[in-house]
Amino acid sequence: MWPKSNVKEHMKITGITIVRNAVLNDFPVGEAISSILPVVDEMIVSVDKGDDDTDALIRSIKSDKLKIIYSTWDMNLREGGRVYALETDKVKSHVSPDTDWIFYIQADEVIHEKYHAVIRETAERYKDDKRVEGLLFQYLHFYGTYDYVGDSRKWYRHEVRIIRNDPGISSYKDAQGFRRGEVKLNVVPVAAEVYHYGWVKSPEQMRQKQKITARFYHDDKSIEVAPKKSDHFDFSQFDSLRKFTGTHPIVMQQRIASKNWHVELDVNQKKFTLKNWLLYWVEKKTGYRLFDFRNYKKIKA
């Protein structure tokens, strides 16, 4: 008779996200949550009722995997985006101990269905390899409309979105990624992309979002003395874009079809200093980004 294994047979992934004022900011949070439901075994959404009907929006998602909890964001801790990390750690604390991996998705991030299988397969491959603390995703940052993607150094290319269920791992700074205290996580890449739609809005909606978001990075006095800006965001102020030639996730199709603004951008337009031109050229020729900040440590496993 074979000895009993101590390895748990079924892998469990729990999804988490935080959300506030999703209606006012026109976040595609319903699409974000729906995009990872096929990957996760449970989905925990932390809702601050805020100033709109975000609660009803989340409740409209039909899934028996969905678990809604409520939290009130401490706006005294908003400077530098710190409240985002604190709220992420709070929802993380609701994940059950039998979970192997935590899949963190932000309210403007969506996963294409073509990546569902490889995400599960990669998580399964490293489930029992405790050296691996997280899975590293590639990023596509859409800008202006669903037809353009930022391709310069100003857009981060990778970030950790799946972490091991370990209380020692916490959200870092403004919740862009995760660390163990100040120590970067040991991660391996997963062959999947995150579609980031945070910069796809009408010029009016984009300006409104910027005004609201500024409250989470600056104190009230700084905002009060800041120069007043137009009510319309100028999407022409970019350094480099490329045309998107792929397909968008199925969960985004209805939102894309209902787009009611038009922005025409010139992808041939490049606005670089000489230094950034050289760095851009090297990256396009070699695929390697020199002097890139990495909030993680890639390992061979």
Side-chain angles (χ1 to χ4, degrees):
M1 180 180 293
W2 293 101
K4 291 184 178 179
S5 172
N6 291 324
V7 177
K8 186 176 67 172
E9 291 185 2
H10 175 70
M11 177 184 66
K12 182 177 180 181
I13 303 178
T14 296
I16 62 170
T17 194
I18 63 172
V19 61
R20 183 180 191 272
N21 287 348
V23 178
L24 280 173
N25 288 306
D26 194 30
F27 288 139
V29 66
E31 293 87 344
I33 293 168
S34 298
S35 76
I36 68 168
L37 283 176
V39 177
V40 303
D41 300 277
E42 181 181 41
M43 183 74 213
I44 306 175
V45 181
S46 176
V47 177
D48 181 328
K49 294 186 178 180
D51 307 306
D52 61 16
D53 209 0
T54 293
D55 188 25
L57 173 62
I58 301 302
R59 288 187 173 279
S60 70
I61 301 170
K62 304 302 180 186
S63 174
D64 57 5
K65 296 181 180 181
L66 192 67
K67 177 183 177 182
I68 302 174
I69 62 174
Y70 294 95
S71 179
T72 301
W73 293 19
D74 186 347
M75 300 303 284
N76 294 316
L77 302 175
R78 69 184 193 270
E79 193 171 348
R82 183 163 178 256
V83 69
Y84 294 134
L86 294 173
E87 290 300 322
T88 299
D89 285 340
K90 282 166 67 174
V91 68
K92 179 177 175 287
S93 71
H94 287 268
V95 174
S96 62
D98 65 338
T99 289
D100 297 291
W101 296 105
I102 298 173
F103 197 153
Y104 171 62
I105 195 83
Q106 293 191 350
D108 54 9
E109 298 177 343
V110 178
I111 301 295
H112 199 294
E113 63 277 1
K114 66 183 178 182
Y115 297 125
H116 289 166
V118 72
I119 293 171
R120 289 284 310 187
E121 289 166 4
T122 307
E124 184 73 62
R125 185 183 315 141
Y126 296 106
K127 176 174 74 73
D128 301 310
D129 187 344
K130 301 304 182 182
R131 295 174 300 164
V132 179
E133 299 172 295
L135 303 184
L136 187 69
F137 285 73
Q138 301 170 60
Y139 266 75
L140 285 176
H141 299 277
F142 292 88
Y143 181 86
T145 74
Y146 302 99
D147 303 313
Y148 303 99
V149 176
D151 71 340
S152 70
R153 297 175 61 85
K154 69 179 290 185
W155 306 100
Y156 52 94
R157 296 202 302 175
H158 302 89
E159 195 48 84
V160 179
R161 281 296 173 262
I162 292 183
I163 57 171
R164 194 168 290 283
N165 184 19
D166 183 331
I169 297 174
S170 58
S171 187
Y172 184 66
K173 289 195 172 179
D174 62 350
Q176 180 175 327
F178 295 87
R179 289 195 183 184
R180 187 181 294 278
E182 290 297 318
V183 179
K184 297 178 180 180
L185 299 187
N186 293 324
V187 304
V188 294
V190 55
E193 294 175 309
V194 175
Y195 286 42
H196 177 220
Y197 294 105
W199 290 83
V200 179
K201 300 182 189 299
S202 71
E204 299 85 358
Q205 187 71 50
M206 191 68 231
R207 180 61 76 202
Q208 178 176 313
K209 180 208 169 187
Q210 281 200 317
K211 291 177 180 177
I212 294 173
T213 302
R215 297 176 59 212
F216 292 91
Y217 290 90
H218 308 284
D219 58 31
D220 292 333
K221 185 176 181 180
S222 299
I223 294 172
E224 186 177 334
V225 300
K228 301 303 179 183
K229 298 182 180 179
S230 164
D231 289 334
H232 293 71
F233 184 81
D234 182 5
F235 280 110
S236 69
Q237 301 304 305
F238 62 88
D239 55 3
S240 180
L241 300 175
R242 66 173 174 84
K243 271 278 194 176
F244 177 64
T245 58
T247 63
H248 290 275
I250 290 174
V251 296
M252 287 294 295
Q253 296 305 318
Q254 183 175 344
R255 176 178 285 266
I256 292 171
S258 64
K259 181 179 73 71
N260 60 0
W261 73 95
H262 177 74
V263 176
E264 193 71 37
L265 301 173
D266 182 6
V267 296
N268 295 313
Q269 171 184 297
K270 307 296 177 186
K271 298 178 181 178
F272 291 128
T273 62
L274 178 59
K275 173 186 174 181
N276 284 333
W277 253 120
L278 291 172
L279 291 171
Y280 179 82
W281 182 85
V282 170
E283 182 176 334
K284 296 311 171 187
K285 288 292 184 182
T286 68
Y288 186 74
R289 181 173 290 187
L290 297 172
F291 316 114
D292 191 23
F293 170 75
R294 297 183 179 184
N295 187 34
Y296 47 83
K297 181 181 179 182
K298 290 174 70 173
I299 63 170
K300 292 183 179 180

